Structures are given as structure tokens and as C-alpha cells.
Amino acid sequence: MVQDSIRVLQTQGYKVTKPRRQVLEILEEAQESLSPYDIQRLLRRQGKHLNHVTIYRILDLFCSLNLAHKLLSTGRFVKCSLGDKEGCHRFMVCHRCGTLQEFADERLCQEENGFARNFDFHTEYHLSESSGLCSNCYRKQHQKQENA
Amino acid sequence: MVQDSIRVLQTQGYKVTKPRRQVLEILEEAQESLSPYDIQRLLRRQGKHLNHVTIYRILDLFCSLNLAHKLLSTGRFVKCSLGDKEGCHRFMVCHRCGTLQEFADERLCQEENGFARNFDFHTEYHLSESSGLCSNCYRKQHQKQENA
DNA sequence: AGCTTAAATGCAACAGTGTTGCGATTAGGG
DNA sequence: CCCTAATCGCAACACTGTTGCATTTAAGCT
Ligand SMILES: [Mn+2]
Ligand SMILES: [Mn+2]
Ligand SMILES: [Zn+2]
Ligand SMILES: [Zn+2]
């Protein structure tokens, strides 16, 4: 996974530096999305010290290469799980535990584009995040209500 | 339009204050979305001085009453144009002039929910903004390319 | 393995954004 | 015209994000 991203960096002519590796690894490990300062704190706990400016610049680069995404709803970052290809990447985010699923669906895009045409709007890309509960958190929530 | 919002404030037991009126009017006039500090600057040009803390608190209130929305992509605010009812409100934002259309579409929601169920995800609400060109800006862009 | 150098990082300083507590003001009911 | 809870303004602060420039480093080349 991290290897794939490293290969993208290389083939695009970017250096594979220690800070870039470290940010990749942190994003890979994380179950939830991370803010730039979250990343700095997590790395510091591992004895790795990165300047926040560096983290910002690395995240910018990763996003431009589609190795990571900046979530709209929170501004936090996640590692892309669909590869670095172009296209519309959508998210389902659990608002309880923060875990998320990335997916792409051509039909949804078609539908949205069709709707937009009615308004004479020329869509270039879709930004889409659904908020809700993952199966785990839904089950927990449900059990609580039964016991209450 | 502003009148409708004022009525919502009254029926919900909130005071109709001068700052709240002023923010409502600015949002109503604006063609594009506004940041809290944009609102402060615009009002100041009209000789109206609001503390930024006040503006933040007013925008929080308006959003909680569905009188305004905070755009995901920019964090800027727009007046809701579909009334204060619950439901999924989507946007088409022109990335050139900033104007936007708000809309709601039950079929899109159904489709997204159906997709989520396959992942055992329980959707509570959709966050959706399409980015592209409005008809005006599309025409301008097109003409430019012809002349070039 | 040691040079070389463009690319990347670190640092300092700063600007912008957003939050909290508390005292002063005000809308709106009696 | 009072009264008072709701709202606002102010001060102080924390967090987030940006820029310019000096220093370090990855990686290509001997
Ligand atoms: Mn992706
Ligand atoms: Mn709305
Ligand atoms: Zn969850
Ligand atoms: Zn436009």
C-alpha cells in the first residue's frame, strides 16, 4: 500500500524522503481521518519530529497526486484507497467512530450530471460524503436502546 | 425572503435583533457564498459594525434552524433557498463566479442510500456539492476558446 | 564511496480563523 | 415604562495555515 504510493512518487519525479514516508505510514495506519496537527502529534509520540509546514506541503502534494484526500466535512485527510486514478471518489463517514469507506459509482455521477443539465449547469466534478453509522456503531446504538 | 426567516426566529422563540437582521440581509443580497469575515467587511462598508464573535454565533444559529448552510468545499455561508424544512439540500457551485443553485432530489438520495446498504452503512444525511460552470460562465469560456 | 545540485525541509515570523468567559446592552413580555 | 433572560461586545487566547529564506538531503553522476 505504502509501496504503491512510493512508486507513484518515484515515477512522477518526486523524491522519496523520510518525512514523506512517515506521513504515508501514519495515514496508512490510521483508522480515521487526521488533521495536519494530528499527524504531527502522532509522529511525535513515535519520536519523529516534523515541522508543521512540512506536513502541510506533503499533504498538498499527496492530494495533487490523488494519494490522499481532504475530506470536505472536516478538512481532515485520509489515504486514498482506490488508487491514484482520476475520477469521482465518494465517502461514507461514520460520525461516531470516524471510520470511513471510499467508493466510486458511475451511475450516481450520471444521475447528478443529468439533474445538473436541467439547470444548464456544466458539472466538472462531484463532492460527496454521506454521514451516518457504520455497521458496528449501528449495532451498539441499537443494543443500548434495547437495554434502556 | 428575509421576512420568512424572521418569522422562523419568532416562532422558535429567538429574538429578532439588529445584528441578526443585518446578517440576514447581507446573505440575501449576496450572489455568492460569504465567510464570517466577509460578512463583517461587507457590513462595515455600510457603516454597520458587528463583532466577529457575534457573526459566528448568528451563523451557528441560522444553520441550526436551516436558514443558512455552511458549504463543505469552502466553509462559507449561504442563505437557504428551499425553506427551513428538514431534508437533504444539495448544491451546484460555479467555481468561476461563485454563484450557486440549491436543490433537493429524492431519487439521488434513494440511490445513495441503496449503495450504502451494500456496505452495511446506515446513512443519516448526504453532503453533496457539484463543482462546475454555470451557464453564463460556460458560454464565456466557450467564446474565448473560439477567438483564440 | 564521494561530489554535485535541485528539491525538500526547518525555522521564524506572521496572518487569518475560531473559541471562551464575562460584563454590558437590548428585545420583548407584563 | 420596567424587568429580565437573551443577546451582544470585548479581551484574551488557541488553533490553523502561509511565506521567505537558510539549511539539509535524495539521488544521479562520476
Ligand atoms: Mn481516492
Ligand atoms: Mn437549504
Ligand atoms: Zn462507526
Ligand atoms: Zn459562473
Side-chain angles (χ1 to χ4, degrees), chain A residues 56-75:
Chain A
Y56 275 95
R57 298 199 267 227
I58 288 176
L59 291 171
D60 276 355
L61 175 66
F62 286 0
C63 285
S64 77
L65 297 175
N66 257 298
L67 301 178
H69 298 288
K70 184 176 187 175
L71 294 184
L72 291 169
S73 41
T74 57

Side-chain angles (χ1 to χ4, degrees), chain A residues 93-100 132-138 140, chain B residues 121:
Chain A
V93 188
C94 176
H95 60 72
R96 197 162 168 286
C97 70
T99 57
L100 85 176
L133 291 175
C134 70
S135 48
N136 274 343
C137 291
Y138 184 80
K140 284 182 200 157
Chain B
F121 184 84

Side-chain angles (χ1 to χ4, degrees), chain B residues 14-148:
Chain B
Y14 294 98
K15 289 188 181 178
V16 179
T17 63
K18 199 157 62 171
R20 285 176 182 166
R21 274 181 208 281
Q22 292 174 343
V23 173
L24 274 177
E25 281 161 18
I26 278 289
L27 285 176
E28 179 77 25
E29 294 170 23
Q31 296 300 312
E32 7 146 45
S33 59
L34 301 174
S35 77
Y37 285 96
D38 285 341
I39 293 174
Q40 189 177 48
R41 278 185 285 271
L42 288 171
L43 285 172
R44 190 158 41 219
R45 279 185 216 155
Q46 306 179 1
K48 298 162 183 168
H49 289 259
L50 287 195
N51 189 281
H52 72 277
V53 181
T54 302
I55 296 174
Y56 275 95
R57 296 198 269 230
I58 288 175
L59 290 171
D60 276 353
L61 176 67
F62 288 180
C63 285
S64 76
L65 297 174
N66 257 297
L67 300 178
H69 298 287
K70 184 175 186 175
L71 294 184
L72 291 169
S73 42
T74 57
R76 297 154 65 96
F77 294 83
V78 290
K79 192 159 173 311
C80 176
S81 59
L82 297 182
D84 58 316
K85 310 274 184 305
E86 284 293 323
C88 174
H89 293 200
R90 296 161 189 270
F91 300 90
M92 294 176 289
V93 188
C94 177
H95 61 71
R96 196 163 169 286
C97 70
T99 57
L100 85 178
Q101 271 284 338
E102 187 176 359
F103 70 101
D105 185 43
E106 193 52 39
R107 259 182 72 209
L108 264 173
C109 289
Q110 301 292 351
E111 187 108 22
E112 286 189 54
N113 288 340
F115 199 95
R117 264 192 298 276
N118 296 340
F119 288 88
D120 228 340
F121 184 84
H122 300 258
T123 307
E124 293 179 8
Y125 54 94
H126 301 288
L127 312 171
S128 164
E129 294 172 25
S130 296
S131 184
L133 291 175
C134 70
S135 47
N136 273 343
C137 291
Y138 184 79
R139 205 174 324 114
K140 283 181 200 158
Q141 193 94 352
H142 208 69
Q143 287 174 349
K144 241 189 226 160
Q145 286 175 358
E146 276 178 7
N147 300 346

